Amino acid sequence: MSQPTSAEEITHRLVSSPAGRIHLVEQGSGPLVLLVHGFPESWYSWRHQLPVLAAAGYRAVAVDVRGYGRSSKPGDVAAYRMLDLIEDNVAVVQALGEQTAVIVGHDWGATIAANSALVRPDVFRAVGLLSVPYAPRGGPRPSEIFAQMGGDQEFYVRYFQEPGRAEAEIEPDVRGWLAGFYAALSADTMPPADAPDPHFVSPGGTLRDRFPADRLPAWLSEDDLDVYAAEFERTGLSGALNRYRNMDRDWEDLADFDGSPITQPSLFIGGSLDASTTWMADAIEAYPATLPGLVSSHILDGCGHWIQQERRAEVNEILTGWLASLPA
């Protein structure tokens, strides 16, 4: 499998969007494949996919989602609602002179990709989801669900939803916090099953209390960590965390899509050790109804959350095979 090539072979661009600007990294030519990262990452999380997709004959484009990296960072929390992120993705496709794209996302990027395909099927002709399954809008208000999880412990999503609270934990030591967060959700460094769950916060504690210390997962070099840390040290974490602070707003905005399936050709790849996959097993089982255009679904044995970095060769093989199967 091809390995990442030199930075000189990729192009960095800034394009106009409703956010102001979106920073993207582009490699290759051919049908457009838009890659959307999750939390807390950047375009860099796709560094192993860009050259492989380019070599396979695609125009691979990885964005910094608004609030991240070199993309604009609006000050209003409501500016990070899902509908705005969908508009950013459409603006990127248009700015690149294209009419349609395949969209692929990981983590929050998977949810953004799914909703982009749902709301704008005229633009996004196929959708690939990594780590986070598609679950149609429905049920109670999200904040009500999160408040009931964990008993006397607090679910991390709820912890992230209060402006300034998680920032106060993370920003004094961005690099150390990121290292722990990445390690906590990686197959080779995650806490054992009988250890306190790193997705929850103890009363009066912090999320970091449950992170592994002093070890990096095999997929993450010191240089890679430096790249991620430098971006967040420059931008802060509020833009990234504001995605979590819009979940109730998204639930309201997307009411017209309650229970709606995504009908375009789709792909799912999850890790067997990733809570995003295991906790949402029911969503995966519902794919015949919710993703009727599903081409294939894969659970990578022994893989954690950072799937396209942990298991880049397998993910690249699955992605290129799926893309080759799509109608021209």
Side-chain angles (χ1 to χ4, degrees), residues 185-198:
L185 305 185
S186 296
D188 58 335
T189 49
M190 62 176 53
D194 59 353
D197 191 331

Side-chain angles (χ1 to χ4, degrees), residues 70-145:
R70 301 180 213 175
S71 293
S72 290
K73 181 185 171 187
D76 183 7
V77 172
Y80 297 84
R81 69 205 312 152
M82 185 61 68
L83 291 179
D84 287 342
L85 301 181
I86 294 169
E87 289 184 3
D88 285 344
N89 289 337
V90 172
V92 168
V93 173
Q94 295 173 343
L96 293 173
E98 305 285 354
Q99 299 297 316
T100 63
V102 175
I103 188 166
V104 179
H106 169 255
D107 183 75
W108 260 123
T111 304
I112 296 167
N115 281 286
S116 295
L118 180 67
V119 175
R120 293 300 304 269
D122 57 316
V123 176
F124 300 105
R125 61 187 181 91
V127 58
L129 309 176
L130 275 58
S131 296
V132 177
Y134 174 60
R137 186 264 188 213
R141 185 177 294 271
S143 60
E144 296 174 2
I145 298 173

Side-chain angles (χ1 to χ4, degrees), residues 195-212:
D197 191 331
H199 295 88
F200 292 87
V201 180
S202 300
T206 65
L207 203 61
R208 187 175 182 170
D209 295 339
R210 300 185 176 192
F211 292 169

Side-chain angles (χ1 to χ4, degrees), residues 15-69:
V15 300
S16 296
S17 82
R21 69 179 183 277
I22 293 293
H23 168 248
L24 59 85
V25 172
E26 178 179 6
Q27 190 165 5
S29 60
L32 177 59
V33 180
L34 187 64
L35 305 169
V36 187
H37 67 80
F39 175 89
E41 299 178 279
S42 72
W43 75 267
Y44 190 74
S45 67
W46 300 105
R47 63 196 177 280
H48 303 300
Q49 283 68 53
L50 287 163
V52 173
L53 295 180
Y58 298 96
R59 186 182 188 185
V61 173
V63 298
D64 281 338
V65 175
R66 71 164 66 187
Y68 287 83

Side-chain angles (χ1 to χ4, degrees), residues 142 144-155 158 200 279:
E144 296 174 2
I145 298 173
F146 302 138
Q148 297 170 6
M149 297 177 64
D152 65 344
Q153 302 176 65
E154 187 175 13
F155 189 45
R158 190 178 187 210
F200 292 87
W279 288 353

Side-chain angles (χ1 to χ4, degrees), residues 3 39 51 71 171 184 190 252 276:
Q3 298 299 311
F39 175 89
S71 293
E171 290 179 357
M190 62 176 53
E252 296 167 357
S276 298

